[in-house]
Amino acid sequence: MHHNLKPLSELDDWQLEHSRQDIRGRRLVGPSGEALGTVREMLVDRDHERVAAITLSDGRTVPVEQIEIRDDYV
Protein backbone atom coordinates (compact mmCIF):
# COMPACT_ATOMS: atom_id res chain seq x y z
CA MET A 1 0.00 0.00 0.00
CA HIS A 2 1.07 3.54 -0.67
CA HIS A 3 2.37 5.42 2.38
CA ASN A 4 0.30 8.51 1.58
CA LEU A 5 -3.07 6.84 2.29
CA LYS A 6 -5.08 8.67 4.94
CA PRO A 7 -8.40 7.63 6.52
CA LEU A 8 -11.30 9.65 5.13
CA SER A 9 -12.57 10.24 8.67
CA GLU A 10 -9.37 12.18 9.47
CA LEU A 11 -9.51 14.48 6.42
CA ASP A 12 -11.56 17.59 7.15
CA ASP A 13 -10.54 19.14 3.83
CA TRP A 14 -11.53 16.19 1.61
CA GLN A 15 -15.01 15.10 0.58
CA LEU A 16 -16.55 12.44 -1.60
CA GLU A 17 -18.22 13.68 -4.76
CA HIS A 18 -21.57 12.17 -3.65
CA SER A 19 -22.63 11.06 -0.16
CA ARG A 20 -23.85 7.72 -1.59
CA GLN A 21 -20.19 6.89 -2.29
CA ASP A 22 -19.57 6.58 1.44
CA ILE A 23 -19.55 2.81 1.91
CA ARG A 24 -18.40 2.77 5.53
CA GLY A 25 -20.56 0.38 7.52
CA ARG A 26 -21.59 -1.69 4.50
CA ARG A 27 -20.98 -5.43 4.25
CA LEU A 28 -18.21 -6.67 1.96
CA VAL A 29 -19.36 -9.77 0.09
CA GLY A 30 -17.13 -12.07 -1.96
CA PRO A 31 -17.81 -13.08 -5.57
CA SER A 32 -19.73 -16.19 -4.51
CA GLY A 33 -21.80 -14.33 -1.91
CA GLU A 34 -19.74 -15.12 1.19
CA ALA A 35 -19.55 -12.40 3.87
CA LEU A 36 -16.00 -11.05 4.15
CA GLY A 37 -16.53 -8.32 6.73
CA THR A 38 -17.74 -4.77 7.17
CA VAL A 39 -16.14 -1.66 5.68
CA ARG A 40 -14.69 0.30 8.60
CA GLU A 41 -12.78 3.03 6.75
CA MET A 42 -12.07 4.43 3.31
CA LEU A 43 -8.42 5.30 2.61
CA VAL A 44 -7.68 8.34 0.47
CA ASP A 45 -4.58 8.64 -1.71
CA ARG A 46 -3.76 12.33 -1.28
CA ASP A 47 -1.27 12.29 -4.19
CA HIS A 48 -3.93 11.17 -6.67
CA GLU A 49 -6.96 12.70 -4.89
CA ARG A 50 -9.03 9.51 -4.83
CA VAL A 51 -10.14 6.73 -2.53
CA ALA A 52 -7.58 3.96 -3.12
CA ALA A 53 -8.54 1.28 -0.57
CA ILE A 54 -10.93 0.27 2.18
CA THR A 55 -10.20 -1.16 5.61
CA LEU A 56 -12.43 -3.90 6.99
CA SER A 57 -13.55 -4.28 10.59
CA ASP A 58 -10.94 -7.03 11.09
CA GLY A 59 -8.12 -4.71 9.91
CA ARG A 60 -7.63 -6.13 6.40
CA THR A 61 -7.12 -3.62 3.61
CA VAL A 62 -8.64 -4.12 0.16
CA PRO A 63 -7.78 -2.00 -2.93
CA VAL A 64 -10.87 -0.34 -4.42
CA GLU A 65 -10.04 -1.80 -7.84
CA GLN A 66 -11.18 -5.14 -6.44
CA ILE A 67 -14.63 -3.99 -5.28
CA GLU A 68 -17.98 -3.19 -6.85
CA ILE A 69 -20.52 -1.03 -4.99
CA ARG A 70 -24.10 -2.31 -4.81
CA ASP A 71 -27.16 -0.76 -3.12
CA ASP A 72 -26.79 -2.61 0.20
CA TYR A 73 -23.35 -4.22 0.05
CA VAL A 74 -19.90 -3.97 -1.53
Side-chain angles (χ1 to χ4, degrees):
M1 280 287 139
H2 193 276
H3 70 281
N4 199 33
L5 296 182
K6 302 291 183 198
L8 178 60
S9 62
E10 296 178 9
L11 299 175
D12 293 333
D13 64 336
W14 206 88
Q15 293 182 347
L16 297 170
E17 196 170 313
H18 301 285
S19 61
R20 68 181 177 272
Q21 294 172 316
D22 190 346
I23 58 172
R24 292 174 287 186
R26 289 198 197 170
R27 296 178 303 126
L28 181 67
V29 178
S32 57
E34 72 277 15
L36 300 175
T38 302
V39 178
R40 182 180 73 207
E41 186 60 82
M42 299 171 70
L43 302 175
V44 176
D45 180 337
R46 296 296 302 252
D47 290 340
H48 296 99
E49 292 295 320
R50 67 180 190 91
V51 174
I54 58 173
T55 302
L56 301 179
S57 53
D58 65 4
R60 290 181 291 163
T61 300
V62 179
V64 295
E65 291 81 14
Q66 297 179 4
I67 66 171
E68 184 176 327
I69 299 172
R70 300 294 181 142
D71 287 338
D72 57 347
Y73 65 91
V74 181

